[in-house]
Amino acid sequence: MTGSFRLSKGGRIDRSKRLTFRFDGRRYEGFAGDTLASALIANGVHLVGRSFKYHRPRGFVAAGSEEPNALVQLGAGARTVPNACATQVELHDGLIAESLNAWPSVDFDVNAARGLFSQLFPAGFYYKTFMPSQRLWMKVMEPYIRKSAGWGRAPTEPDPDCYDHRYSHCDVLVVGGGPAGLAAGVAAGRAGARVIIADEQREFGGSLLSLRRRIDGQSGADWAAEQAAALATMEHVRLLPRTTVFGYYDHNYLCALESRTDHMGEASGPGHPRTRLWHIRARQVVLATGAHERPLVFADNDRPGIMLASGAQSYVNRYAAIPGRKAVIFTNNDSAYDAAADLQEAGLSIAAVVDARREPDPRHTEPLLKKGVSLFAGQVIVGVNGTKRVQGVKIRPLSADKRSVREPERTIACDVVLMSGGWSPVVHLFCQSRGKLVFDDAKACFVPGRSVQEVVSAGACNGAFDLADCLHEGATAGALAADAAGFGGNASATEAFRVSAPDPFGIEPLWLVPSTRKPGHGKAKHFVDFQNDTTAADIHLAAREGFESVELMKRYTLTGFGTDQGKTGNVNGLAILSEYLGRSIPDTGTTTFRPPYTPLPFGAMAGRGLGPLSDPVRVTAIHDWHVANGALLEDVGQWKRPRFFPKPGEDMRAAVNRECLAVRNGVGILDASTLGKIDIQGADAAEFLNRIYTNAWSRLEVGRVRYGVICHEDGMVFDDGTTARLAENRYLMTTTTGGAANVLDWLEEYLQTEWRDLNVYCTSVTEHWATVSVAGPRSRAVLEKICSDVDLGPVAFPFMSCREGTVAGIPSRIFRISFTGELSYEINVSRWHGRSLWDAVMNAGHEFDITPYGTEAMHVLRAEKGFIIAGQDTDGSVTPQDLGMDWIVSGTKKDFLGKRSFARADTKRPDRKQLVGLFPEDPNEVLPEGAQLVEDPKLPAPVPMIGHVTSSYYSATLGRSFALALVVRGRERLGGRVFAPLESKTMTARIVPPVFYDPEGARKDG
């Protein structure tokens, strides 16, 4: 044996593999197959931590993911893991762990003195005690509370481990590998469906690994191993042990975290990641997630040695570790008797069974009575002796109305108390899928009701606590899921299972056990949420102070917060609230379960997207040419774009001036590949664009292009760009470089949620097309040298139209659109031809002194024409009318996004900010972008701001600086002056129209 509490035989541990580990600096031994929790229990360690608020001694409560107390710090250095649940940590050789929230040690914690003043720290105490003095709160109390909050320590070094993401589709996803899950997986697998079965434990079998059950003549554990082996032979079935499905999202999209190396204690590497995050899209989902046993809420129910009966049963049967020498069973249902029988057979002395029911079922009580176990029916525990370990309990008879206790009081010596308050189906994922719960009065628990997605619950998570029912539901659910996925699973042909198990349990709810003192009076505390030190008195206080909503109560008292997410405490908490308010539990309602079901590391979410991969760099097909020719690059979204192309001795202004003059007087070439491009197809594409854009689109001819503005529902400009009609039911939309992804999301949101009747499909093709823009008076001459099959003349190829042809022998789409105001052609070719096209245009333009220009020159050129950039000249509070673009807002269309908002008084008020131009008083000074504008800088502070500068440049064409700005009543102020107070001086500018160059638009035709 490795410890005084290890059984000499039994369990599922491998006694041939002895492992050593350290906890709080002491060396212990365990076996392969142990968890850290079971190994500590086998070594007689029961005090494993201190509570969050009061620093009370805490021990193990459960044996699985529902454990609220046993949080530990694993490892050291960069690979340390904070807040690991000891019941889920697989033991490996050399494991190092330490307890949390205690100083200098878990055995002697100086902060335990807080418990002496616990009545001063009820729920929400910090709001009432410290908030009246802001200085006291900010300088003293908040820093202290923040320092005291939390448990473990996050590593400070870079994470050395590797994490993977993987994407998978299946016909049936089975969540849970217990009896119902295995039965479901076998039924679906035999039908031929592609099946994934995920379970959080290292072995499949679930509760069968912890209970003494027989199925079809063999032990439950052997039956589970046989089913798992059969599933492993099916080519279309994937088994995922050590995998927790933690999130259920829309359209049967679920996420699961698979642990890959932690159980081995080895460092991960590129070929062997620490975890794998699965993204699973399933046609059908079967939830077989089981149930968690609930604690009973009685006085001082948090002492080390007080645990769930099912947890003790699991430690004994699965790990051959006994949690104590002498036990008292405290229950309000029949399931605890099964645990008592197993524990007694393992050698644990059962001092007494305290059953709150007056008449428990004789079928369960008589076997224990025959073995000399005392039964105290109709009685409850009213007090606990012992501090760092339970030493005994006090019991009294329960009154008929269950609201008080009577004499006499009896004390029973024990070192472990096994409590069972009923079972709560694990409905977390079902609730995340937006399914609705119903309360089952007979079983005193919430069970799944109406489903919203393609999901069915089976087994204990569906309220089927009897093993035979559990297996039948699982097999039926698997067959039905396979059938719904198109594989003809025959639910009526599922086999019957021969089961040997206790009779179905009965329960009489007892949500709050009365004692000789009311909750909150004296030293005794009735804990509901162990992890957050939430007591029944806190819940009563919340109700008295008006927090009657279960969601408000949760936040006020912290019930259900923390790493365990209320798995053991939530139902007790809302039931106690219900009783206090005099409501039924269904009327009080439930809190909202949100992902993740159990904590997951940040590294798992990041995957391999670290460092340079955290924000991938995107480059165009012409990028190497830009670098080779000395371009200075800038980041636009994720793209690397040339900002300008300096020649020797040129600074940025000189280079940009040269590039702008080349476009205005000759010809320039721009790599415009980064512009967002979305291919829109479908019979309803024209109607879709009509609703998205503010202007009309249904009559746009094939081969023509139109400029459009997209607004949010509030009427504010979101993005803009041109869209070409390529065919009757096909369009190509362009967006700003940085807005491409957001625009596509916006289009898909409306197609998938609001206008699901429209036959429209949107595809991002930004990376597919390389785009070369040739602009300037000589651009037609350049293009005619390498394009002979398209008539480029102004009559055959008018402004705002597109043609298909070949350029330099490359199949191309040519668009006659202009962001510079000059004659321009944008040529789209497949990405792999982008560099060839660029070289061909450069060669053709050599005799015209063709000049490459970058984003800085492009910004100057467009601003000279008064063309906006969405997101720079707009800020989410600007309408098309504010920009002087009333012409683009249809007055005849029935509806479009933002139409109703234009009728609001706010969008019509005359004192809105409007787009104007600015000429600084000093033509050589450039206003800073973002500079605030005022009417009179001499007014005392705070000076009212009337606008701000959105774009500002020096123009070689104009021979001076200029700017665009949003100014209150801007169009009424034309000719007036505004001031920009800066740190060193105040700049003066004259308000002018926002179009500075070629206001008639004559130059667009060359």
Side-chain angles (χ1 to χ4, degrees):
M1 294 193 299
T2 62
S4 59
F5 289 84
R6 176 77 76 182
L7 298 176
S8 59
K9 60 180 180 179
R12 301 187 62 76
I13 54 175
D14 186 350
R15 298 174 190 266
S16 67
K17 296 181 180 178
R18 193 180 296 268
L19 307 174
T20 61
F21 67 99
R22 288 187 174 273
F23 179 71
D24 280 347
R26 294 190 60 182
R27 181 181 179 278
Y28 298 96
E29 289 187 351
F31 293 118
D34 262 324
T35 63
L36 175 59
S38 67
L40 287 173
I41 287 176
N43 282 276
V45 178
H46 299 277
L47 175 59
V48 292
R50 293 281 176 160
S51 70
F52 172 65
K53 186 162 64 172
Y54 303 127
H55 285 251
R56 289 167 66 103
R58 290 288 168 81
F60 299 103
V61 170
S65 61
E66 71 273 29
E67 170 60 44
N69 287 342
L71 302 182
V72 298
Q73 186 88 23
L74 285 182
R79 300 196 77 243
T80 187
V81 177
N83 306 328
C85 187
T87 57
Q88 293 187 289
V89 174
E90 292 186 47
L91 197 67
H92 61 78
D93 203 42
L95 182 145
I96 299 174
E98 60 184 47
S99 54
L100 302 176
N101 207 39
W103 185 84
S105 71
V106 70
D107 189 60
F108 177 74
D109 182 8
V110 296
N111 284 308
R114 294 182 192 175
L116 301 175
F117 309 98
S118 61
Q119 293 190 44
L120 300 177
F121 307 122
F125 72 94
Y126 33 84
Y127 298 121
K128 306 168 190 175
T129 309
F130 307 120
M131 289 305 240
S133 171
Q134 186 174 6
R135 181 179 296 274
L136 177 65
W137 172 254
M138 297 296 294
K139 300 296 185 182
V140 180
M141 299 316 305
E142 184 185 31
Y144 174 74
I145 290 174
R146 288 192 179 278
K147 184 178 180 180
S148 300
W151 289 275
R153 304 178 305 278
T156 56
E157 301 91 337
D159 191 340
D161 288 310
C162 174
Y163 303 86
D164 258 356
H165 284 215
R166 188 161 178 177
Y167 298 81
S168 183
H169 290 73
C170 64
D171 300 308
V172 180
L173 170 64
V174 180
V175 184
L182 289 172
V186 169
R190 286 175 177 171
R194 294 173 302 162
V195 180
I196 294 177
I197 307 178
D199 190 86
E200 64 184 359
Q201 301 188 76
R202 67 184 181 90
E203 293 181 271
F204 288 94
S207 62
L208 297 176
L209 305 177
S210 300
L211 303 176
R212 300 186 181 186
R213 301 287 185 264
R214 298 195 68 79
I215 304 174
D216 295 340
Q218 56 186 331
S219 71
D222 288 344
W223 179 88
E226 183 179 274
Q227 304 307 304
L231 287 164
T233 64
M234 302 181 188
E235 293 183 1
H236 46 276
V237 173
R238 183 190 299 274
L239 298 177
L240 293 178
R242 297 187 178 94
T243 303
T244 300
V245 179
F246 63 82
Y248 197 142
Y249 307 94
D250 290 341
H251 306 293
N252 270 18
Y253 168 57
L254 297 93
C255 288
L257 183 69
E258 179 187 8
S259 177
R260 303 278 294 174
T261 63
D262 282 348
H263 60 285
M264 297 182 289
E266 298 175 0
S268 66
H272 203 43
R274 185 171 188 173
T275 67
R276 177 174 290 157
L277 186 61
W278 287 86
H279 304 258
I280 304 170
R281 186 78 71 176
R283 290 185 178 181
Q284 301 288 321
V285 174
V286 176
L287 296 179
T289 47
H292 294 314
E293 192 170 25
R294 291 192 298 263
L296 284 162
V297 182
F298 58 94
D300 291 333
N301 58 334
D302 68 324
R303 298 301 189 198
I306 301 177
M307 61 171 43
L308 296 170
S310 60
Q313 191 174 18
S314 182
Y315 287 121
V316 166
N317 290 336
R318 185 171 181 181
Y319 301 107
I322 55 174
R325 302 296 186 191
K326 190 175 185 180
V328 168
I329 310 290
F330 184 24
T331 185
N332 66 346
N333 67 87
D334 292 332
S335 65
Y337 289 91
D338 183 47
D342 285 358
L343 295 169
Q344 189 178 49
E345 186 172 336
L348 180 62
S349 172
I350 307 296
V353 174
V354 180
D355 196 323
R357 300 171 297 175
R358 289 179 178 274
E359 297 180 358
D361 191 334
R363 291 176 296 177
H364 299 289
T365 61
E366 287 179 0
L368 287 178
L369 291 174
K370 289 179 180 179
K371 294 181 179 181
V373 176
S374 299
L375 172 66
F376 297 94
Q379 300 198 39
V380 294
I381 294 177
V382 296
V384 176
N385 295 332
T387 301
K388 296 177 183 177
R389 178 68 188 265
V390 61
Q391 296 175 355
V393 295
K394 300 173 182 179
I395 67 171
R396 286 195 179 196
L398 183 65
S399 65
D401 62 2
K402 299 182 181 180
R403 295 182 180 276
S404 62
V405 291
R406 300 179 285 104
E407 295 284 357
E409 182 172 289
R410 180 191 300 266
T411 299
I412 304 174
C414 62
D415 63 353
V416 61
V417 176
L418 307 180
M419 54 183 171
S420 177
W423 294 82
S424 296
V426 179
V427 294
H428 298 64
L429 293 177
F430 180 80
C431 291
Q432 291 176 21
S433 75
R434 294 178 289 118
K436 304 301 180 183
L437 301 178
V438 295
F439 192 76
D440 188 322
D441 289 301
K443 297 174 181 176
C445 62
F446 282 97
V447 295
R450 180 176 60 87
S451 299
V452 174
Q453 302 196 49
E454 297 297 323
V455 58
V456 61
S457 299
C461 73
N462 196 41
F465 300 137
D466 175 66
L467 181 57
D469 293 341
C470 181
L471 291 165
H472 176 71
E473 280 195 7
T476 302
L480 289 174
D483 184 57
F487 291 88
N490 187 355
S492 62
T494 56
E495 61 185 282
F497 299 93
R498 293 179 291 108
V499 173
S500 172
D503 293 324
F505 80 99
I507 183 172
E508 292 182 10
L510 181 61
W511 304 113
L512 176 57
V513 179
S515 67
T516 53
R517 295 182 297 272
K518 294 182 179 179
H521 290 71
K523 296 182 179 180
K525 293 186 180 298
H526 300 64
F527 284 95
V528 177
D529 186 310
F530 296 104
Q531 192 166 104
N532 292 293
D533 273 351
T534 303
T535 66
D538 291 327
I539 296 173
H540 290 175
L541 175 64
R544 288 197 303 273
E545 298 196 349
F547 298 98
E548 297 183 1
S549 162
V550 68
E551 290 287 4
L552 294 178
M553 178 276 289
K554 171 182 177 179
R555 282 152 181 79
Y556 191 69
T557 66
L558 301 184
T559 302
F561 280 68
T563 62
D564 72 324
Q565 286 291 291
K567 294 179 178 65
T568 57
N570 265 9
V571 175
N572 283 338
L574 67 90
I576 291 171
L577 178 66
S578 300
E579 284 190 341
Y580 189 85
L581 296 174
R583 300 175 184 167
S584 69
I585 293 177
D587 287 342
T588 302
T590 63
T591 56
T592 301
F593 290 113
R594 296 181 176 88
Y597 172 70
T598 53
L600 64 156
F602 287 110
M605 292 185 280
R608 297 184 186 240
L610 306 173
L613 296 179
S614 64
D615 192 19
V617 173
R618 302 167 76 181
V619 297
T620 71
I622 312 162
H623 176 77
D624 290 344
W625 189 95
H626 302 323
V627 173
N629 285 271
L632 290 183
L633 305 174
E634 69 171 339
D635 294 324
V636 182
Q638 293 176 324
W639 291 98
K640 293 289 186 182
R641 295 194 70 178
R643 191 176 185 188
F644 57 96
F645 294 83
K647 290 187 175 181
E650 284 186 333
D651 60 10
M652 187 176 82
R653 175 179 282 195
V656 172
N657 287 347
R658 173 178 52 79
E659 292 171 10
C660 289
L661 290 174
V663 175
R664 293 290 182 220
N665 300 318
V667 62
I669 181 172
L670 172 76
D671 180 1
S673 304
T674 64
L675 289 177
K677 304 178 226 17
I678 301 172
D679 191 287
I680 301 174
Q681 300 188 43
D684 299 314
E687 172 61 20
F688 176 59
L689 293 176
N690 227 29
R691 299 181 189 182
I692 288 290
Y693 282 123
T694 60
N695 50 344
W697 288 81
S698 48
R699 295 184 180 179
L700 182 68
E701 298 175 358
V702 174
R704 297 307 299 250
V705 183
R706 182 163 291 168
Y707 173 75
V709 169
I710 302 174
C711 291
H712 282 136
E713 297 96 329
D714 58 6
M716 307 303 163
V717 173
F718 169 41
D719 205 273
D720 70 336
T722 60
T723 295
R725 192 167 195 169
L726 304 178
E728 181 67 22
N729 296 321
R730 186 177 186 185
Y731 296 79
L732 182 66
M733 174 188 286
T734 63
T735 74
T736 56
T737 296
N742 289 333
V743 171
L744 181 60
D745 284 347
W746 188 245
L747 302 182
E748 287 291 353
E749 179 176 339
Y750 271 84
L751 284 174
Q752 295 182 31
T753 64
E754 303 296 331
W755 305 327
R756 299 176 65 182
D757 58 313
L758 295 184
N759 179 10
V760 179
Y761 302 91
C762 300
T763 305
S764 174
V765 293
T766 301
E767 291 86 353
H768 181 75
W769 297 102
T771 302
V772 174
S773 177
V774 187
R778 309 305 300 271
S779 58
R780 183 181 292 126
V782 171
L783 199 55
E784 284 176 338
K785 294 181 64 176
I786 53 177
C787 178
S788 59
D789 58 351
V790 176
D791 187 343
L792 302 174
V795 177
F797 197 168
F799 183 60
M800 298 300 281
S801 59
C802 62
R803 300 288 184 267
E804 292 193 356
T806 56
V807 178
I810 303 170
S812 309
R813 285 182 185 152
I814 310 171
F815 300 84
R816 249 212 72 189
I817 53 181
S818 178
F819 198 44
T820 64
E822 302 293 339
L823 173 66
S824 300
Y825 297 89
E826 286 190 5
I827 311 163
N828 280 11
V829 297
S830 295
R831 188 185 192 283
W832 47 87
H833 293 310
R835 176 63 186 273
S836 298
L837 175 65
W838 180 272
D839 290 340
V841 174
M842 288 294 294
N843 290 334
H846 181 72
E847 66 175 286
F848 304 105
D849 196 22
I850 191 169
T851 300
Y853 66 99
T855 56
E856 197 67 27
M858 178 190 71
H859 289 164
V860 175
L861 296 167
R862 66 90 194 170
E864 291 172 348
K865 286 291 296 177
F867 296 154
I868 67 162
I869 294 180
Q872 178 168 329
D873 299 300
T874 66
D875 61 0
S877 66
V878 180
T879 68
Q881 294 89 338
D882 298 335
L883 298 171
M885 298 170 62
D886 308 62
W887 52 270
I888 206 169
V889 180
S890 172
T892 59
K893 283 201 303 183
K894 180 179 178 181
D895 199 10
F896 56 85
L897 290 181
K899 179 180 175 67
R900 280 163 286 186
S901 294
F902 295 143
R904 293 188 299 121
D906 180 69
T907 56
K908 286 187 169 184
R909 58 185 171 83
D911 62 340
R912 290 183 62 83
K913 290 183 179 181
Q914 298 168 338
L915 186 71
V916 295
L918 297 179
F919 276 152
E921 192 173 69
D922 185 338
N924 290 311
E925 285 192 320
V926 178
L927 282 163
E929 291 182 350
Q932 294 294 308
L933 303 174
V934 301
E935 283 184 298
D936 186 353
K938 297 179 181 179
L939 291 175
V943 182
M945 303 295 174
I946 63 169
H948 66 280
V949 177
T950 62
S951 299
S952 185
Y953 311 98
Y954 182 85
S955 168
T957 302
L958 302 177
R960 60 163 301 125
S961 59
F962 73 104
L964 294 174
L966 288 168
V967 176
V968 172
R969 297 181 184 269
R971 288 190 283 273
E972 296 179 12
R973 299 174 184 266
L974 292 177
R977 294 196 307 170
V978 290
F979 302 89
L982 307 175
E983 288 187 5
S984 58
K985 61 181 178 179
T986 296
M987 293 182 64
T988 306
R990 179 164 51 91
I991 300 178
V992 298
V995 181
F996 304 91
Y997 175 78
D998 186 28
E1000 299 81 13
R1003 294 183 63 87
K1004 68 179 182 298
D1005 290 321

